[in-house]
Amino acid sequence: ATVLPRFPSAREFLRQEAAGSPLGALLDPAQVEGLGTELERDLAPYADDDGVVLPMQTWLVTAHR
């Protein structure tokens, strides 16, 4: 299924993704700032006055014996 989560900004999306990743702890503030600048530019097509909407797709597979 495709969902359309909304984030207040590209930087908030980055903050949440980094907080949920073990790699997030390895980023220093300067790296996060640089990534935020790039991400704002790259996600501009998904931005509006209310933030950023990113189509995301998740696959869930279950198996039974």
Side-chain angles (χ1 to χ4, degrees), residues 4-9 13 16 46-54:
L4 297 170
R6 178 173 289 281
F7 300 90
S9 67
F13 169 67
Q16 289 183 27
Y46 301 97
D48 61 21
D49 291 339
D50 296 322
V52 176
V53 176
L54 299 171

Side-chain angles (χ1 to χ4, degrees), residues 1-5 54-60:
T2 300
V3 296
L4 297 170
L54 299 171
M56 294 184 176
Q57 198 169 51
T58 300
W59 294 88
L60 176 64

